[in-house]
Amino acid sequence: MTVVGNAATRPDFWETAAGVAVARFRLAVTVRRWDRGREAWADAYTSFYTVWTWRTLAANVAGSVSLGEPLVVHGTLRVREREWDRERERERDRPLQGEGGGEAAPAAPGMDSGGGAHQSRRWVTAEIDAMAVGHDLTRGTSAFRRVSQAKPLLNTLTGTTSP
């Protein structure tokens, strides 16, 4: 899927224990509708997505994206229901209906369904595993800089590599 919106947060960047670069940011996407009465475009609702980027894309996003910038994001949408497990004080994923072979799991023992103090907190997240992220050039200009990958050069005479 491809979405167009604005960076709602600065990218968070880190490396995993295995050395894989990861960047994550929130994207705000506002639907616009034509208002016939006013004869003008009007904002409708705003959806927020958490955008996940990996490896080279993550490093480039961290160095290129700032808060509020207009972006185009292309990737795979993932919608998940999350639940805060109060007994264990941790967050966990729950399959949505139609995903993972069935309905969402029932409430844990001791949890009531009437909104009492023991009810777990649930919410739905919309995340995009991005394959490409770029500035929306309909709303401004951008200067592209190619990132060079440092690769050793092969010496054809000796067959060895040099830095």
Side-chain angles (χ1 to χ4, degrees), residues 56-57 60 64 133-135 137 141-148:
T56 304
L57 179 58
N60 292 341
S64 302
V133 175
H135 288 103
L137 298 182
T141 62
S142 185
F144 180 78
R145 285 174 301 186
R146 185 172 305 278
V147 177
S148 64

Side-chain angles (χ1 to χ4, degrees), residues 25-86:
F25 65 94
R26 299 278 287 161
L27 184 73
V29 178
T30 302
V31 173
R32 294 182 52 89
R33 306 242 187 254
W34 180 255
D35 184 338
R36 290 181 184 178
R38 294 185 338 177
E39 294 188 6
W41 288 98
D43 289 346
Y45 57 90
T46 301
S47 298
F48 289 87
Y49 299 90
T50 300
V51 179
W52 290 91
T53 60
W54 301 87
R55 297 174 185 79
T56 304
L57 179 58
N60 292 341
V61 161
S64 302
V65 173
S66 297
L67 180 68
E69 291 183 340
L71 300 173
V72 178
V73 175
H74 178 76
T76 304
L77 177 65
R78 192 172 21 146
V79 178
R80 298 186 304 182
E81 183 177 15
R82 310 289 299 212
E83 178 179 21
W84 179 257
D85 186 340
R86 290 185 185 201

Side-chain angles (χ1 to χ4, degrees), residues 5-18:
N6 292 318
T9 63
R10 291 181 182 88
D12 292 323
F13 178 81
W14 68 93
E15 288 187 0
T16 66

